[in-house]
């Protein structure tokens, strides 16, 4: 399968037509997405027009851009003008935004061709896509297992070869965890590195948009395209975008790599190791660290004590922000309306019918955490843990350039296997700390664990440390064992051809 870099290079040079590239990907989607269900919407006509425009630009001697003719899938919480943007919720099932998200504009301006909108846990709340109102996405490595979440559709689309690139959003791990479970690369950039304008808000102080790709070079290329200041997002950082591709070939000899003790089953100075992280996953992380040492990096262990409280803090702050963000779905402004005898009944009936159980649970938890009398005990305390996390990371980064941990505590699990919320929330143990701190983090495939399923290693870096993070990720990729290709088979019977 061609990478995004290879496709763009060929299309720009006139050696391949964007329309031919698109045809191949659309026929793969046609053949297999009935089984995988990566997409909520396939935008074939839109894509054909966009690919034809790329070819016309090449014919006219113009450069369509660094992603010329590269098919891309967008998570269905990214606004696309005139194309349904559902958040996999009944609430927005029929809603089409009147504008494109800034990242959608940037990808299009770079020559990328949107092939569709991908499935997610409703409003990005979940770690398996089982919370989608439109049915789950299946993992291309084993159709009886989850692809992770909440950006499970984007990860599955790339792993299944439906598009070389996808974008997702990461609030507590929703890019990195599905990337890990689907054997691909996923990046959560520094908070503010990428504009969130046109991303449907979940928890605004955590939400970031980032790329999925089959290799580190494609992820770096895409990160460069979507990064940068945007006047439409007041949290975006007004600094220049580095040449991320240049970071890939740098050596790791001068770099210090810290393996986070609390997340690798070896215990820290205060509080010890978190349980629930599977041994097969930890073993791959240790092997990854050894590979970096063999490549010349200085590798040590480091304790980041506050990561043990991350989950608890996140599951107070994120629902609190969500309860506020989701107040806008009141039957008046967006999407669904169920009429009632008066406004307040209309509002109640709309929200009862429009939101799924997990979303309702988060709204109730968040409202409770913010309520008078409980604010200090819950929300205030969680914010203090957030400060502690920042402090502990700062201390770790005084001694190390990057940190290593598992991305997900386990490989892809079976549908229904983590049905109680606490078990599901524990999927996010290793990813949440970087959302609390706002620092960049990414997942790189590194071998397989139980049942020969992919394992991802998480590389974390200090704020705006994407280049160093990519240097280490590229070194890991060079050392990683070759993953078997996904066979798109497994327990679930095919829905017919
Ligand atoms: N799994 C986490 C949650 O359910 C993270 C989701 C996300 O990053 N969007 O909140």
């Amino acid at each position: 399968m061609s990478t995004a870099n290879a496709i763009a290079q060929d299309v720009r040079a006139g050696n391949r037509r964007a329309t031919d590239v698109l045809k191949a990907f659309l026929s793969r989607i046609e053949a297999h997405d009935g089984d995988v269900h990566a997409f909520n919407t396939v935008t074939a006509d839109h894509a054909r027009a966009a690919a034809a425009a790329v070819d016309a630009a090449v014919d006219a001697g113009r450069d369509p851009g660094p992603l010329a003719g590269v098919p891309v899938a967008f998570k269905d919480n990214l606004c696309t003008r005139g194309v349904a943007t559902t958040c996999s919720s009944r609430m927005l099932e029929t809603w089409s935004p009147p504008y494109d998200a800034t990242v959608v504009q940037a990808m299009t301006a770079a020559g990328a061709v949107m092939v569709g909108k991908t499935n997610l846990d409703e409003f990005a709340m979940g770690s398996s896509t089982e919370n989608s109102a439109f049915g789950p996405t299946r993992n291309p490595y084993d159709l009886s297992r989850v692809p992770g979440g909440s950006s499970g559709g984007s990860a599955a689309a790339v792993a299944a070869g439906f598009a070389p690139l996808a974008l997702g959003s990461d609030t507590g791990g929703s890019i990195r965890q599905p990337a890990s479970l689907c054997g691909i690369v996923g990046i959560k950039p520094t908070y503010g590195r990428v504009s969130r304008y046109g991303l449907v808000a979940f928890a605004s102080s955590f939400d970031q948009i980032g790329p999925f790709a089959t290799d580190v070079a494609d992820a770096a290329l895409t990160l460069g395209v979507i990064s940068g200041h945007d006047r439409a997002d007041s949290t975006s950082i007004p600094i220049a975008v580095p040449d991320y591709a240049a970071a890939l070939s740098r050596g790791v000899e001068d770099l210090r790599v810290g393996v986070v003790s609390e997340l690798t089953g070896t215990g820290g100075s205060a509080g010890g190791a978190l349980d629930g992280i599977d041994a097969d996953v930890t073993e791959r992380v240790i092997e990854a660290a050894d590979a970096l040492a063999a490549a010349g990096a200085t590798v040590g262990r480091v304790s980041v004590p506050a990561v043990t409280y991350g989950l608890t803090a996140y599951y107070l702050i994120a629902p609190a922000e969500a309860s506020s963000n989701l107040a806008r779905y009141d039957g008046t402004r967006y999407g669904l309306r169920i009429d009632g005898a008066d406004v307040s009944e209309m509002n109640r009936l709309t929200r009862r019918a429009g939101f799924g159980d997990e979303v309702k649970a988060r709204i109730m938890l968040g409202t409770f955490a913010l309520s008078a009398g409980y604010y200090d005990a819950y929300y205030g305390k969680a914010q203090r843990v957030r400060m502690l996390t920042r402090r502990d990371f700062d201390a770790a980064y005084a001694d190390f350039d990057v940190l290593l941990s598992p991305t997900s505590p386990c490989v892809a699990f079976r549908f229904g296997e983590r049905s109680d919320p606490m078990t599901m929330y524990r999927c996010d143990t290793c990813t949440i700390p970087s959302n609390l701190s706002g620092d960049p983090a990414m997942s790189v495939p590194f071998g397989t664990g139980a049942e020969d399923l992919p394992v991802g290693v998480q590389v974390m870096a200090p704020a705006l440390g994407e280049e160093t993070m990519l240097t280490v990720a590229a070194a890991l990729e060079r050392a990683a064992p070759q993953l078997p290709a996904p066979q798109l088979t497994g327990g679930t019977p095919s829905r017919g051809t």
Side-chain angles (χ1 to χ4, degrees):
M1 209 186 317
S2 292
T3 63
N5 271 288
I7 291 170
Q9 201 177 350
D10 283 351
V11 170
R12 285 169 116 173
N15 295 334
R16 261 165 109 181
R17 309 287 287 170
T19 38
D20 295 335
V21 171
L22 175 66
K23 215 175 276 170
F25 281 98
L26 285 179
S27 67
R28 195 162 165 86
I29 294 172
E30 174 81 16
H32 296 293
D33 198 44
D35 292 335
V36 177
H37 187 214
F39 289 98
N40 286 340
T41 312
V42 176
T43 50
D45 291 339
H46 182 286
R48 283 187 201 101
V54 168
D55 287 334
V58 173
D59 291 345
R62 281 181 277 120
D63 181 4
L67 293 175
V70 179
V72 60
F74 294 123
K75 188 176 183 178
D76 209 9
N77 62 352
L78 291 166
C79 288
T80 42
R81 184 155 63 95
V83 176
T85 298
T86 69
C87 294
S88 289
S89 178
R90 296 281 169 217
M91 189 62 93
L92 292 177
E93 196 171 358
T94 57
W95 183 65
S96 291
Y99 67 102
D100 279 330
T102 297
V103 292
V104 170
Q105 287 177 36
M107 293 295 282
T108 308
V113 171
M114 169 174 75
V115 290
K117 304 293 295 289
T118 57
N119 195 19
L120 61 148
D121 287 295
E122 185 175 5
F123 283 103
M125 297 174 189
S127 309
S128 68
T129 74
E130 289 169 294
N131 295 336
S132 166
F134 310 135
T137 297
R138 300 185 188 87
N139 191 314
Y141 274 93
D142 179 344
L143 298 177
S144 67
R145 291 171 189 267
V146 306
S150 63
S151 317
S154 286
V158 171
F162 297 158
L165 296 179
L167 295 187
S169 63
D170 191 311
T171 303
S174 282
I175 293 173
R176 292 160 287 161
Q177 184 256 11
S180 171
L181 270 48
C182 290
I184 60 170
V185 176
I187 301 179
K188 181 199 87 79
T190 305
Y191 185 79
R193 178 72 284 187
V194 174
S195 168
R196 295 179 297 116
Y197 180 69
L199 167 67
V200 177
F202 163 12
S204 310
S205 76
F206 299 121
D207 299 341
Q208 262 302 282
I209 298 166
F212 290 92
T214 56
D215 66 17
V216 176
D218 277 4
L221 173 67
T222 311
L223 181 64
V225 167
I226 61 175
S227 290
H229 182 235
D230 178 12
R231 291 163 57 99
D233 175 0
S234 62
T235 64
S236 80
I237 305 172
I239 56 159
V241 180
D243 178 0
Y244 292 124
L248 305 175
S249 49
R250 285 180 205 139
V252 295
E253 293 81 5
D254 297 330
L255 296 178
R256 299 158 303 166
V257 178
V259 179
V260 179
S261 300
E262 287 81 0
L263 301 178
T264 47
T266 51
S269 58
L274 280 166
D275 47 47
I277 297 174
D278 290 349
D280 53 342
V281 175
T282 306
E283 282 161 22
R284 295 296 92 74
V285 176
I286 304 303
E287 287 163 17
D290 290 346
L292 291 173
T298 306
V299 177
R301 295 204 147 269
V302 61
S303 174
V304 188
V307 303
T308 54
Y309 308 116
L311 207 64
T312 328
Y314 170 88
Y315 277 100
L316 285 164
I317 300 170
E321 294 186 14
S323 72
S324 163
N325 275 325
L326 271 60
R328 71 189 63 169
Y329 305 105
D330 56 6
T332 308
R333 285 170 282 191
Y334 306 89
L336 188 72
R337 168 185 291 189
I338 308 286
D339 284 324
D342 54 24
V343 171
S344 103
E345 194 190 32
M346 179 275 284
N347 187 241
R348 205 168 52 246
L349 294 177
T350 298
R351 288 169 72 83
R352 183 183 297 164
F355 291 138
D357 288 348
E358 181 64 23
V359 174
K360 286 176 182 156
R362 303 273 182 122
I363 292 171
M364 285 189 273
L365 281 170
T367 306
F368 180 76
L370 289 173
S371 57
Y374 294 102
Y375 186 94
D376 286 339
Y378 295 109
Y379 186 78
K381 210 170 190 175
Q383 290 291 13
R384 286 196 287 280
V385 170
R386 196 168 185 179
M387 288 302 294
L388 275 184
T389 309
R390 173 75 276 142
R391 194 197 64 186
D392 287 357
F393 269 127
D394 285 346
Y397 288 126
D399 295 327
F400 295 96
D401 299 296
V402 298
L403 303 180
L404 235 52
S405 80
T407 304
S408 161
C410 60
V411 296
F413 47 94
R414 291 206 154 81
F415 292 103
E417 203 175 303
R418 289 184 170 237
S419 52
D420 81 286
M422 278 315 292
T423 318
M424 187 66 84
Y425 297 171
R426 287 209 181 93
C427 290
D428 311 328
T429 300
C430 305
T431 46
I432 276 173
S434 305
N435 297 92
L436 289 169
S437 69
D439 296 338
M442 68 186 287
S443 184
V444 190
F446 202 91
T448 55
E451 312 282 338
D452 230 11
L453 291 160
V455 170
V457 169
Q458 181 173 232
V459 185
M460 296 171 268
L464 296 173
E466 275 87 356
E467 290 170 277
T468 316
M469 179 177 85
L470 287 164
T471 298
V472 171
L476 280 178
E477 181 175 69
R478 287 191 289 272
Q482 178 84 30
L483 271 187
Q487 296 302 313
L488 300 167
T489 55
T492 310
S494 158
R495 279 199 246 151
T497 48

